[in-house]
């Protein structure tokens, strides 16, 4: 069922939902960007529509709501282990089509990746519902159309198109119709806004021969990439983490175990027992990341990991473009075929 709402009607709906759910959405933080006097759009709690940033792409994804950067899993003493409590209240997260597709990738990794379900992820995931934010036009560096993530038809309770003043909503969950109808909203045929073209286009090669591992294209990143890991931090589909034990006592027998976000681009990620380290060169790390996103994951699950959000391009201090690299890989593959 579709509705068109004024701002006050939409706020009435959010207030009603807020009684049961924590509401998260992209929020503009003025002056809190990484450089002096720059802004940043990150996910945060919201109470009403004025707090939601509808017109900019979020610099950081929703990912930390599902997989916090640092998450205490359990506490331990010499004799007892106790799982950490989680916030049991339900949550609604506003996100765009590419990020809806990223949720599918996170679910794949944490819930459908071999015999074991990640129970810590599942507990949080089970509490979360999604609202789709329509995209009337493409943002800078997005290449969702090439990655097939520009449209999404399910997985959300309603979609919302923001038109400057009013909100057009397509309600998918019939349980919510009562809330929208009682806001006084008028009924209207509504379809979520999806982009059909991006300025940036990539071509992902279907097959990548082993020869690509030795290709010259990676060498450029030995010097150019500074291995800061920002690209991993903002990526909605990067799922690597490391385990850290924090000890409360000198004997190391009382403390807590934390899962902390990891990055395949930074020093130490591939260090193994004895001090050995794979992928020392930054170009080798780039190769690992890129092929994982556009080839290795697909070999295992049948679809690409990268959703084409372009956030890694936006955040890289060295202006390294992931979409450019995809096209360079494609060109190298084609060259090798000749
Ligand atoms: S953000 Fe750029 S410089 Fe930093 S690790 Fe990623 S590609 Fe390298
Ligand atoms: S690799 Fe870059 S473009 Fe692809 S999903 Fe991650 S942040 Fe987005």
């Amino acid at each position: 069922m579709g509705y068109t709402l004024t701002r006050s009607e939409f706020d009435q709906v959010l207030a009603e939902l807020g009684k049961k759910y924590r509401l998260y959405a992209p929020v503009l933080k003025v002056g809190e960007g990484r450089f002096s006097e720059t802004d940043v759009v990150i996910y945060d709690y919201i109470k009403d529509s004025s707090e939601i940033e509808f017109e900019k792409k979020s610099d950081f994804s929703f990912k930390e709501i599902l997989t916090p950067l640092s998450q205490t899993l359990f506490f331990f003493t010499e004799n007892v282990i106790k799982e950490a409590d989680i916030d049991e209240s339900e949550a609604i997260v506003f996100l765009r089509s590419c990020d809806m597709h990223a949720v599918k990738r996170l679910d794949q990794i944490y819930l459908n990746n071999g015999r074991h379900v990640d129970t810590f992820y599942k507990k949080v995931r089970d509490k979360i519902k999604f609202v789709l934010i329509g995209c009337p036009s493409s943002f800078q560096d997005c290449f969702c159309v090439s990655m097939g993530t520009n449209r999404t038809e399910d997985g959300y309770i309603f979609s919302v198109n923001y038109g400057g003043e009013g909100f057009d909503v397509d309600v998918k969950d019939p349980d919510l119709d009562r809330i929208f109808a009682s806001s006084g909203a008028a009924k209207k045929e509504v379809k979520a806004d999806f982009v059909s073209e991006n300025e940036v286009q990539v071509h992902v090669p279907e097959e990548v021969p082993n020869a690509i591992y030795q290709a010259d294209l990676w060498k450029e990143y030995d010097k150019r990439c500074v291995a800061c890991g920002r690209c991993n931090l903002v990526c909605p589909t990067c799922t690597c983490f490391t385990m850290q034990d924090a000890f409360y006592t000198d004997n190391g027998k009382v403390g807590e175990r934390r899962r902390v976000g990891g990055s395949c681009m930074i020093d130490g990620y591939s260090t193994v027992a004895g001090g050995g380290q794979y992928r020392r060169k930054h170009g080798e790390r780039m190769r690992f990341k890129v092929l994982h996103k556009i080839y290795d994951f697909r070999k295992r699950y049948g679809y690409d990991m990268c959703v084409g959000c372009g956030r890694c391009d936006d955040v890289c201090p060295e202006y390294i473009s992931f979409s450019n690299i995809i096209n360079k890989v494609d060109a190298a593959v084609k060259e090798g075929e000749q």
Side-chain angles (χ1 to χ4, degrees):
M1 182 87 68
Y3 299 91
T4 185
L5 297 91
T6 62
R7 187 174 285 280
S8 76
E9 287 165 347
F10 191 59
D11 283 342
Q12 213 177 302
V13 170
L14 293 182
E16 192 59 31
L17 292 173
K19 289 178 187 169
K20 181 174 177 193
Y21 299 97
R22 289 170 281 142
L23 305 178
Y24 293 96
V27 172
L28 177 69
K29 302 283 181 179
V30 176
E32 294 182 31
R34 65 199 151 105
F35 302 116
S36 166
E37 294 176 30
T38 58
D39 305 334
V40 67
V41 180
I42 57 172
Y43 271 78
D44 205 350
Y45 294 109
I46 56 113
K47 282 200 166 63
D48 62 49
S49 63
S50 68
E51 295 172 282
I52 305 176
E53 178 54 69
F54 280 103
E55 293 175 78
K56 292 186 167 75
K57 174 164 67 173
S58 70
D59 296 287
F60 289 78
S61 78
F62 66 94
K63 182 172 74 174
E64 280 186 51
I65 300 166
L66 279 167
T67 54
L69 205 50
S70 175
Q71 178 183 20
T72 300
L73 302 183
F74 56 82
F75 301 91
F76 55 86
T77 65
E78 288 188 44
N79 304 313
V80 180
I81 292 177
K82 184 194 172 296
E83 240 181 67
D85 297 330
I86 65 156
D87 190 336
E88 292 289 340
S89 60
E90 293 184 75
I92 290 176
V93 180
F94 285 66
L95 38 63
R96 297 179 187 278
S97 177
C98 59
D99 282 346
M100 276 303 309
H101 285 266
V103 172
K104 179 180 171 186
R105 276 87 176 145
L106 297 186
D107 287 351
Q108 184 81 63
I109 289 289
Y110 288 102
L111 303 178
N112 300 302
N113 182 17
R115 280 186 296 141
H116 301 291
V117 165
D118 186 312
T119 54
F120 296 102
Y121 176 84
K122 187 168 188 311
K123 272 192 204 167
V124 178
R125 177 72 176 86
D126 286 347
K127 301 279 173 203
I128 293 182
K129 294 183 165 79
F130 299 102
V131 170
L132 178 76
I133 303 175
C135 289
S137 56
S138 178
F139 295 104
Q140 181 181 313
D141 295 330
C142 294
F143 52 100
C144 54
V145 177
S146 299
M147 301 310 294
T149 59
N150 54 314
R151 299 186 65 87
T152 185
E153 309 302 338
D154 49 31
Y156 52 93
I157 54 175
F158 66 88
S159 67
V160 54
N161 300 332
Y162 175 62
E165 287 302 318
F167 301 83
D168 287 347
V169 164
D170 180 23
V171 179
K172 297 275 193 188
D173 180 348
D175 291 346
L176 296 182
D177 272 317
R178 179 192 54 81
I179 296 175
F180 279 93
S182 64
S183 74
K187 287 186 182 165
K188 181 185 174 186
E189 185 75 22
V190 174
K191 283 196 173 14
D193 285 338
F194 296 118
V195 297
S196 54
E197 56 183 353
N198 308 122
E199 207 171 297
V200 178
Q201 287 153 22
V202 299
H203 186 265
V204 182
E206 265 180 44
E207 282 300 324
V208 177
N210 284 345
I212 208 72
Y213 290 84
Q214 305 299 332
D216 282 344
L217 76 99
W218 308 115
K219 290 183 185 151
E220 172 187 346
Y221 306 103
D222 285 345
K223 288 213 169 79
R224 207 173 149 203
C225 170
V226 294
C228 63
R230 280 179 178 168
C231 47
N232 301 117
L233 201 62
V234 298
C235 177
T237 67
C238 276
T239 48
C240 289
F241 58 79
T242 182
M243 289 295 181
Q244 292 179 1
D245 287 344
F247 301 114
Y248 304 157
T249 56
D250 287 344
N251 68 5
K253 292 188 173 170
V254 181
E256 63 182 85
R257 175 159 295 179
R258 296 176 190 152
R259 163 148 81 187
V260 180
S263 159
C264 57
M265 299 303 289
I266 61 169
D267 290 346
Y269 175 83
S270 61
T271 302
V272 293
Q277 197 184 341
Y278 303 100
R279 300 189 294 275
R280 283 178 191 275
K281 291 181 177 173
H282 298 178
E284 292 170 339
R285 297 177 196 177
M286 185 65 81
R287 182 190 66 203
F288 173 80
K289 180 183 76 172
V290 171
L291 294 183
H292 185 59
K293 295 281 183 197
I294 62 159
Y295 188 60
D296 299 332
F297 184 94
R298 173 159 36 101
K299 290 293 267 187
R300 190 169 162 101
Y301 301 115
Y303 57 95
D304 281 313
M305 190 179 209
C306 173
V307 295
C309 69
R311 288 187 178 99
C312 52
D313 285 26
D314 300 333
V315 83
C316 178
E318 298 297 314
Y319 304 105
I320 291 170
S321 162
F322 194 78
S323 52
N324 272 345
I325 301 175
I326 296 176
N327 286 332
K328 283 182 190 176
V329 172
D330 187 50
V333 170
K334 286 189 176 119
E335 203 178 296
E337 285 168 354
Q338 283 167 6

